[in-house]
Amino acid sequence: MLDLNEVAMFVQVARLGSFAEAARHLRMPSATVSRRIQQLETRLGTRLMQRSTRKLTLTSAGQTFHERCGPAVEELIEAGQSHVAGSKEPSGAIRVAASASFFEYFDMGWVSAFLAAHPAVQIDFVLSDLQADLIADRIDVAFHIGALEDSSYVARRIFTSYGGLLASPAYLAANGAPRDLRELSEHECVTQPPATGSFATWRLKGPDDCEEDVRVRGRFSSNTHVALREAACAGLGIVALPAILTSSEVAAGRLVPVLPQYVRAGRGMSVVYPSRQQRPLAVTAFVNMAVEKLSLQEWMPPPAETSERRLEPHLDSSVCR
């Protein structure tokens, strides 16, 4: 007995001419699509496709099979798309990827209000400070901080920079405060684990909008913002975090600004989609709400006092010349 899901996958691959494109369309790993097509071929007892690194073509049996079942599957797909397009109300499940600290700055009340306004919508949050694989994890939309590693995704930038440098009074009393960026590299810093080597790199934007890359390191690192904040409060070093995650600690005196004329650059937030095509109404409605709310939040520290001494750039890695 044939599996209708496998037949539908075969039609999608034949229509798009690529396992990768079909996988994006179906929001599942390419390897899964390839495996299911192989299972269909086993059930039929014949090869449907010829595969190579550059090209995918239908065999004569595959062409005949596609001619017989393709129109019916295409009709079902078009009927489903017409139904979704004709619906004026968002509906269905949304799978959202975000950082582990997402709900420290994203009010749960906003989610509650959104779900109340759209009773046919469900939301599943996947929270981690590791970058999600949107296809493999079946993610509809992700809120990503920092540079995007997968250029095949579709991104919408919310803001480009955030946060400043902070340390606890105890750390500064014991080690002093850096007077410029060159001294910053000599201090203990709490960072996310560096991709390679023992140093992490912070890109900092100065008072003249010049950006400089500073290599920093320390004995404590973590992949979550919450852990980095708590480590800085405990006196383990200087941290670079969004103001929205540290405003309470600054107000209470547990953290104080360091080199306040500099802010973290290149670490803004983006909304990321796996594809431009066939974005559900529910996803669009949720993203529009979320972007509006996030854009109103205080991600940057207050401007440094005008009396603060302005420092000249020191490092050769500056992007301003």
Side-chain angles (χ1 to χ4, degrees), residues 253-309:
R254 292 190 291 271
L255 292 174
V256 296
V258 174
L259 297 175
Q261 66 272 46
Y262 287 93
V263 296
R264 189 86 184 269
R267 292 286 297 177
M269 178 180 282
S270 300
V271 180
V272 185
Y273 305 94
S275 171
R276 294 184 186 277
Q277 299 178 345
Q278 299 177 340
R279 194 172 300 155
L281 259 179
V283 172
T284 299
F286 176 76
V287 168
N288 288 341
M289 178 277 292
V291 169
E292 178 186 1
K293 299 296 187 183
L294 289 170
S295 299
L296 298 176
Q297 303 307 296
E298 184 181 355
W299 294 91
M300 301 286 285
E305 296 293 332
T306 55
S307 59
E308 187 74 26
R309 182 169 61 94

Side-chain angles (χ1 to χ4, degrees), residues 9 34 50 55 71 95 99 101 117 164 184 194 199 259 305 316:
M9 288 182 193
S34 179
Q50 296 289 359
K55 193 175 181 181
R95 193 164 165 85
S99 67
S101 56
L184 179 62
F199 288 89
L259 297 175
E305 296 293 332
D316 293 337

Side-chain angles (χ1 to χ4, degrees), residues 164-168 172 190 232 237-243 246-247 250 255-258:
L165 306 178
L166 301 161
S168 71
L172 295 176
V190 293
I238 299 171
V239 72
L241 285 175
T246 56
S247 57
V250 172
L255 292 174
V256 296
V258 174

Side-chain angles (χ1 to χ4, degrees), residues 55-226:
K55 193 175 181 181
L56 182 150
T57 58
L58 296 180
T59 64
S60 62
Q63 186 66 40
T64 301
F65 186 69
H66 182 260
E67 289 172 357
R68 296 190 63 180
C69 68
V73 173
E74 294 281 5
E75 186 176 346
L76 286 173
I77 293 172
E78 289 177 6
Q81 291 174 345
S82 298
H83 172 74
V84 172
S87 174
K88 295 182 180 179
E89 285 298 320
S91 62
I94 310 171
R95 193 164 165 85
V96 182
S99 67
S101 56
F102 188 68
F103 283 107
E104 292 218 4
Y105 51 82
F106 196 88
D107 194 331
M108 191 65 77
W110 302 338
V111 179
S112 177
F114 178 82
L115 291 177
H118 305 292
V121 173
Q122 298 174 314
I123 305 180
D124 176 16
F125 284 95
V126 180
L127 302 182
S128 172
D129 282 333
L130 299 177
Q131 185 168 335
D133 184 328
L134 273 59
I135 302 298
D137 297 333
R138 298 177 292 107
I139 300 298
D140 294 299
V141 63
F143 293 89
H144 179 74
I145 292 177
L148 294 173
E149 297 177 4
D150 193 330
S151 60
S152 67
Y153 295 155
V154 180
R156 170 185 173 186
R157 202 70 157 165
I158 303 176
F159 49 84
T160 57
S161 301
Y162 76 75
L165 306 178
L166 301 161
S168 71
Y171 174 84
L172 295 176
N175 300 278
R179 292 170 296 178
D180 55 33
L181 294 188
R182 183 168 308 198
E183 290 190 3
L184 179 62
S185 62
E186 300 170 2
H187 276 259
E188 285 283 321
C189 295
V190 293
T191 70
Q192 291 183 317
T196 58
S198 58
F199 288 89
T201 301
W202 287 347
R203 172 157 289 194
L204 300 169
K205 183 166 68 174
D208 296 322
D209 287 334
C210 290
E211 294 182 2
E212 304 183 46
D213 288 336
V214 183
R215 295 206 308 169
V216 296
R217 64 179 177 179
R219 291 177 293 161
F220 182 94
S221 63
S222 174
N223 67 327
T224 73
H225 292 143
V226 173

Side-chain angles (χ1 to χ4, degrees), residues 1-15:
M1 184 175 180
L2 294 183
D3 185 316
L4 293 181
N5 286 328
E6 293 172 357
V7 175
M9 288 182 193
F10 165 75
V11 172
Q12 290 282 48
V13 172
R15 182 177 70 165

